[in-house]
């Protein structure tokens, strides 16, 4: 078992190196810093993009307290407290990093926006490994994944290449929904993972539609401000899941449940069809003189 896990890590590293060799460098587009909403309020430049980060601080702080308290969240595996603490720490730190960046957007400040986000991305990936693969493997992966996230930001800053950072950000967005659907859960209420993933996807759509949303709303709110608010819903759904979930009795993945449900419906349809056919046959039989 240990050798197969080592092989998986080696395979992942080789795949990463291959991607770095065959894909072109992705430099930071300087137009990224030109957001739609530049309005200042109460002396705060880019005010809505700054203050819309406040929910991250509240949600992250509450999440850390409830994680360390140990009673509100159902954490039964050894590495979960470590992983979730780092996740909510990253959420809370995003409030400071993103606010600092949006006061005067440029590459040097963007580092402090992206660094706390990578903490959350990598921590939640480690937690998912803890839950769905193996507790020991997941716990051992927390700090290597955190380091990988920090290195991806450092590599972008010094090499002006976003490829490693893009992997750190988007691999969990793909891997977590896929693993949620296909791997047996440790706990109930797994659908909250998909709600969280959906909110993050909407946040990225809002970010990409910054100017369009600003125009559509009559310059009331920009897409980037909505991106912050939608992204803040991700830890909200996760906190609800952690508070409501219980140990899963039947550790069956969502896809298997959907297949079983579909199979049951087909069988029920066949049974109803058979009963209807029998009834029609009886009526025809009885009508024959």
């Amino acid at each position: 078992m240990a050798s197969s896990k080592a092989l998986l890590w080696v395979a992942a590293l080789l795949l990463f190196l291959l991607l770095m060799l065959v894909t072109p460098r992705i430099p930071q587009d300087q137009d990224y810093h030109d957001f739609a909403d530049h309005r200042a309020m109460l002396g705060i430049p880019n005010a809505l993009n700054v203050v819309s980060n406040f929910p991250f601080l509240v949600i992250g702080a509450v999440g850390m307290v409830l994680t360390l308290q140990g009673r509100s969240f159902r954490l039964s595996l050894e590495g979960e407290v470590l992983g979730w603490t780092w996740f909510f720490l990253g959420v809370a730190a995003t409030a400071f990093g993103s606010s600092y960046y949006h006061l005067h957007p440029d590459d040097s400040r963007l580092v402090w926006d992206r660094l706390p986000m990578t903490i959350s991305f990598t921590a939640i990936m480690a937690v998912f490994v803890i839950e769905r693969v193996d507790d020991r493997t997941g716990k051992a992966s927390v700090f290597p994944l955190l380091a990988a996230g920090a290195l991806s930001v450092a590599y972008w800053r010094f090499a002006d290449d976003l490829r490693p950072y893009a992997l750190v950000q988007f691999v969990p967005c793909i891997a977590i929904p896929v693993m949620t659907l296909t791997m047996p859960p440790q706990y109930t209420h797994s659908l909250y993972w998909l709600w969280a993933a959906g909110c993050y996807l909407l946040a990225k759509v809002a970010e990409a539609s910054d100017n369009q949303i600003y125009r559509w709303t009559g310059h009331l709110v920009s897409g980037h401000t909505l991106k912050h608010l939608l992204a803040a819903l991700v830890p909200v759904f996760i906190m609800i899941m952690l508070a409501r979930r219980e140990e899963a009795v039947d550790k069956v993945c969502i896809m298997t449940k959907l297949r079983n449900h579909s199979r049951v419906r087909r069988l029920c349809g066949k049974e109803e069809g058979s009963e209807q056919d029998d009834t029609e046959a009886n009526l025809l039989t009885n009508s024959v003189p």
Side-chain angles (χ1 to χ4, degrees):
M1 178 66 100
S3 60
S4 63
K5 290 176 183 175
L7 285 173
L8 284 175
W9 284 110
V10 171
L13 179 60
L14 291 175
L15 180 60
F16 168 73
L17 294 174
L18 179 63
L19 286 172
M20 292 295 288
L21 288 172
V22 301
T23 57
R25 185 174 68 91
I26 305 175
Q28 178 64 56
D29 183 1
Q30 292 305 302
D31 289 339
Y32 176 82
H33 305 303
D34 185 20
F35 298 101
D37 190 354
H38 299 283
R39 291 173 297 175
M41 298 178 185
L42 301 176
I44 302 173
N46 310 310
L48 288 184
N49 282 345
V50 173
V51 300
S52 57
N53 286 290
F54 182 69
F56 290 113
L57 176 60
V58 176
I59 297 163
V62 171
M64 277 195 294
V65 170
L66 295 179
T67 298
L68 296 172
Q69 182 189 34
R71 293 191 300 272
S72 299
F73 293 162
R74 291 172 172 83
L75 306 176
S76 63
L77 301 175
E78 188 178 351
E80 287 184 301
V81 174
L82 178 65
W84 285 120
T85 299
W86 276 103
F87 170 75
F88 287 113
L89 176 63
V91 171
T94 296
F96 296 102
S98 186
S99 296
Y100 176 70
Y101 164 66
H102 281 288
L103 287 170
H104 184 72
D106 60 20
D107 280 0
S108 61
R109 287 181 176 235
L110 187 55
V111 171
W112 303 107
D113 183 14
R114 286 177 170 166
L115 187 59
M117 287 194 292
T118 63
I119 292 174
S120 292
F121 295 145
T122 52
I124 203 170
M125 194 65 212
V127 166
F128 216 82
V129 174
I130 289 169
E131 286 191 14
R132 300 288 171 132
V133 181
D134 176 66
D135 184 19
R136 176 183 288 184
T137 302
K139 185 179 179 182
S141 71
V142 172
F143 290 109
L145 286 173
L146 290 171
L151 287 172
S152 74
V153 176
Y155 182 81
W156 155 68
R157 186 68 183 101
F158 292 106
D160 194 21
D161 186 357
L162 285 167
R163 286 177 296 172
Y165 175 75
L167 284 174
V168 167
Q169 184 176 27
F170 289 110
V171 164
C173 298
I174 298 170
I176 288 177
V178 169
M179 294 167 73
T180 298
L181 290 169
T182 60
M183 298 184 72
Q186 178 72 24
Y187 300 99
T188 60
H189 293 86
S190 290
L191 281 176
Y192 280 104
W193 284 108
L194 300 182
W195 282 108
C199 282
Y200 189 76
L201 177 61
L202 288 175
K204 298 306 290 183
V205 171
E207 180 183 33
S209 308
D210 186 28
N211 284 283
Q212 294 93 320
I213 291 174
Y214 194 50
R215 290 197 302 268
W216 293 341
T217 60
H219 297 175
L220 179 64
V221 63
S222 69
H224 202 86
T225 297
L226 287 180
K227 176 240 183 176
H228 291 162
L229 300 177
L230 287 166
L233 288 176
V234 173
V236 170
F237 277 115
I238 286 173
M239 288 172 63
I240 296 171
M241 177 190 71
L242 292 175
R244 296 188 63 186
R245 69 184 189 176
E246 299 174 352
E247 286 276 350
V249 177
D250 54 337
K251 293 182 170 57
V252 180
C253 70
I254 292 175
M255 287 298 294
T256 300
K257 287 183 178 180
L258 290 174
R259 284 196 297 268
N260 291 341
H261 180 68
S262 177
R263 190 177 298 118
V264 168
R265 290 188 65 181
R266 285 200 302 270
L267 289 173
C268 289
K270 288 180 180 179
E271 289 176 0
E272 290 175 1
S274 298
E275 291 176 359
Q276 185 176 359
D277 291 344
D278 291 342
T279 302
E280 291 176 353
N282 290 333
L283 289 171
L284 288 171
T285 303
N286 294 332
S287 65
V288 175

